[in-house]
Amino acid sequence: MSEAEQYDATIYERPSVTVDVVILTLINEALHVLLLQRRHWPYAGQWAIPGGFVGIDESLEDAAQRELQEETGIQAVYLEQLYTFGSPQRDPRTRVISVAYFALVRADRHQPSTSDEATAVRWFPIDQLPEPLAFDHRVIVQAAVNRLRSKLEYTTLAFQLLPEEFTLAELYETYGQLFGDRRRGDDGAAGEWAGLDKRNFYRKITDAGILHDTGRFREGRGRPAKLYTFRPETQSGEFVFRWREARAG
Amino acid sequence: MSEAEQYDATIYERPSVTVDVVILTLINEALHVLLLQRRHWPYAGQWAIPGGFVGIDESLEDAAQRELQEETGIQAVYLEQLYTFGSPQRDPRTRVISVAYFALVRADRHQPSTSDEATAVRWFPIDQLPEPLAFDHRVIVQAAVNRLRSKLEYTTLAFQLLPEEFTLAELYETYGQLFGDRRRGDDGAAGEWAGLDKRNFYRKITDAGILHDTGRFREGRGRPAKLYTFRPETQSGEFVFRWREARAG
DNA sequence: TCAATAGTGTCTTTGAGACACTATCCG
DNA sequence: CGGATAGTGTCTCAAAGACACTATTGA
């Protein structure tokens, strides 16, 4: 903005501004999104990400936090502005510009509940989204997943998704699911993730010095696995995951 | 958005939405920003980045392109959405949400001219911005520069800034200015960029296979330098610059 | 003792980074 | 030939990646 005319701009027709939030979590080491089934027009009955209008005196981040709170009852999570979607035709009612955020939460803690705006609320695996989604929400969800994937490579964001305590196998499985395209079943049985060598992964992650060995174990079938926590003091550190691997044939 | 109540939302007070554009260019291998000196209240006399209201039927990208056009007369450039700034108090007139874009242009081509909105238009070196800038524009400019810097590491964006034909020395100087903190004058004379070895840089850039040798030369003092062009077909390629260097003392 | 899962060591290859001299042109 | 700028080759080291077996537990 730069104009005197802006001062008179109140007479112009203004778009509406909403904030929509892509809420991501990990369930059984697989990435899921929270969707609401819309009760009302437009797109009644279709699934959508939660969102709502920005209050006239409310910051965008506050609005996103409020939506998150209303839908999931969570506050302390990772929240980041994603992108602003503003095609003139993206909402059939009127011009609506949507500032999209994405949030990472730990799903174990809480189950979402339906509201008067939604007939249902559910976690969907990101590779099994209902078809179609309301508005341009498919694009928004895809953008969030892309952003998350790329950030996982050079941040410790993955630990925002995992439970407080985890085993190396769970961590490995998580990275595998988030990056790996598919398993290779050498003999039919489930093996390692294509292109992600377990030993190299363990070495890299432990050498990085970002894990704390709790001294406790997760019991189950087979040999008990060490439980680790993430050392948040290293969060700003130099850890880079970087997914490459695959040299020979 | 998800509510029936949105349908009635026209009755709510709506924020204004603007698009502001950080226009960056290279002048003498140094990064510059285009700023306008505001003619009117608020912040009259102060420098600001160009911007304006989003038309009710105009996409955000179109609005950004239009601003760019109006201020510089350029169309074909790199344009990317940067971030959306929405603090309730960022504009003294009314609630204004600003979707910021950043654009890369080649400055050689065209000189900006003043308009009825601005008393002056100028390129400023990014490390010599006027103090203060209007609104929160300093933050926005800084965000653009940060984004550009980080993208230069893993994209070929630098070539969007350089003239069509360039020498390796110009390319080296550009990367040095964009990343290097300072020169080291071993003896007083200008030397290489701290931490950026010229030979390693040349090797890396030529091995990457993204340059086309035009066979022509730039004449001047000293040995003529080969002129290269960027091969845009490799734009989506695997080139990564990645700035590290500095192992021993 | 076997099924199931956890955990580990070494060699090879690649790419990054340190390092300083030769080549070409012009006046 | 001297000043000015362009351009190049090799060694070292760290980190990535390929590769397969041993350890621990409970049924």
Side-chain angles (χ1 to χ4, degrees), chain B residues 56-119:
Chain B
I56 194 70
D57 280 319
E58 183 184 45
S59 78
L60 299 172
E61 176 129 355
D62 285 348
Q65 200 80 51
R66 177 172 52 75
E67 288 300 326
L68 189 62
Q69 184 67 242
E70 287 172 7
E71 304 304 339
T72 68
I74 315 163
Q75 58 269 56
V77 292
Y78 181 80
L79 184 67
E80 173 181 317
Q81 188 183 304
L82 178 62
Y83 196 79
T84 298
F85 296 84
S87 304
Q89 306 305 332
R90 56 181 296 282
D91 191 307
R93 292 165 293 192
T94 179
R95 176 75 192 277
V96 177
I97 291 171
S98 165
V99 183
Y101 277 76
F102 83 93
L104 304 183
V105 307
R106 301 190 223 267
D108 3 344
R109 305 256 183 97
H110 34 73
Q111 278 301 334
S113 55
T114 70
S115 64
D116 54 328
E117 319 170 354
T119 54

Side-chain angles (χ1 to χ4, degrees), chain A:
Chain A
M1 81 236 67
S2 55
E3 288 330 289
E5 53 181 335
Q6 170 161 3
Y7 189 46
D8 302 327
T10 47
I11 62 172
Y12 295 151
E13 201 180 351
R14 296 181 181 182
S16 295
V17 179
T18 62
V19 163
D20 294 320
V21 188
V22 180
I23 306 174
L24 299 172
T25 200
L26 225 44
I27 299 175
N28 298 329
E29 282 97 52
L31 196 61
H32 287 65
V33 200
L34 188 76
L35 297 179
L36 320 185
Q37 192 169 35
R38 293 174 56 81
R39 192 183 290 277
H40 304 290
W41 182 86
Y43 298 105
Q46 291 192 23
W47 294 87
I49 58 176
F53 288 97
V54 179
I56 195 71
D57 280 318
E58 183 184 44
S59 77
L60 299 172
E61 174 128 357
D62 285 349
Q65 201 79 52
R66 178 173 50 75
E67 287 300 325
L68 188 61
Q69 182 68 242
E70 288 173 7
E71 303 305 339
T72 68
I74 315 164
Q75 60 270 57
V77 292
Y78 181 82
L79 184 66
E80 174 182 317
Q81 188 184 303
L82 178 62
Y83 196 79
T84 298
F85 296 84
S87 304
Q89 306 306 334
R90 58 181 293 285
D91 192 308
R93 292 165 292 191
T94 178
R95 177 75 192 277
V96 177
I97 291 171
S98 165
V99 183
Y101 278 76
F102 84 91
L104 304 183
V105 307
R106 301 190 221 271
D108 1 347
R109 305 253 184 96
H110 35 72
Q111 278 300 336
S113 55
T114 71
S115 65
D116 54 329
E117 318 170 355
T119 53
V121 184
R122 261 195 58 195
W123 293 108
F124 284 87
I126 41 105
D127 52 0
Q128 294 168 44
L129 296 182
E131 196 70 77
L133 295 189
F135 305 102
D136 51 1
H137 287 188
R138 168 165 296 272
V139 178
I140 299 180
V141 169
Q142 194 54 53
V145 172
N146 291 345
R147 174 89 127 243
L148 174 63
R149 285 224 172 94
S150 74
K151 281 211 148 184
L152 284 172
E153 290 185 354
Y154 58 94
T155 65
T156 52
L157 232 45
F159 299 98
Q160 300 287 336
L161 286 164
L162 285 163
E164 189 105 12
E165 296 190 326
F166 50 85
T167 66
L168 286 183
E170 288 162 357
L171 187 59
Y172 172 76
E173 180 68 14
T174 298
Y175 270 102
Q177 293 238 13
L178 290 172
F179 288 114
D181 284 319
R182 86 203 109 269
R183 290 165 183 285
R184 64 181 147 187
D186 271 0
D187 51 344
E192 298 189 356
W193 284 97
L196 183 56
D197 184 274
K198 189 171 60 148
R199 280 160 298 183
N200 293 341
F201 179 81
Y202 280 27
R203 166 164 47 104
K204 182 147 201 185
I205 223 75
T206 50
D207 287 359
I210 57 178
L211 295 186
H212 170 68
D213 184 342
T214 64
R216 302 195 293 113
F217 292 84
R218 171 153 306 164
E219 317 262 338
R221 279 167 312 188
R223 175 176 172 177
K226 277 188 175 174
L227 281 169
Y228 294 89
T229 55
F230 173 56
R231 291 170 47 188
E233 65 270 22
T234 59
Q235 206 152 4
S236 55
E238 284 302 298
F239 172 70
V240 169
F241 174 66
R242 214 156 291 292
W243 171 265
R244 298 193 202 137
E245 215 131 347
R247 203 169 262 166

Side-chain angles (χ1 to χ4, degrees), chain B residues 126-187:
Chain B
I126 41 105
D127 52 0
Q128 295 168 45
L129 296 182
E131 195 68 79
L133 295 189
F135 304 102
D136 52 0
H137 287 188
R138 169 164 295 273
V139 178
I140 299 180
V141 170
Q142 194 54 52
V145 172
N146 291 345
R147 174 89 126 243
L148 174 62
R149 284 226 172 93
S150 74
K151 281 210 148 185
L152 285 172
E153 290 185 354
Y154 59 93
T155 66
T156 51
L157 232 44
F159 299 98
Q160 301 288 334
L161 285 164
L162 285 164
E164 189 105 12
E165 296 190 326
F166 50 86
T167 67
L168 285 183
E170 287 163 357
L171 187 59
Y172 172 74
E173 180 67 15
T174 299
Y175 269 103
Q177 294 238 12
L178 290 171
F179 288 115
D181 285 321
R182 86 206 110 270
R183 290 166 183 283
R184 64 182 145 186
D186 271 1
D187 49 346

Side-chain angles (χ1 to χ4, degrees), chain B residues 192-205:
Chain B
E192 297 190 356
W193 284 98
L196 183 56
D197 185 273
K198 189 171 59 145
R199 282 160 296 183
N200 292 341
F201 179 81
Y202 280 27
R203 166 165 47 103
K204 183 146 200 184
I205 224 74

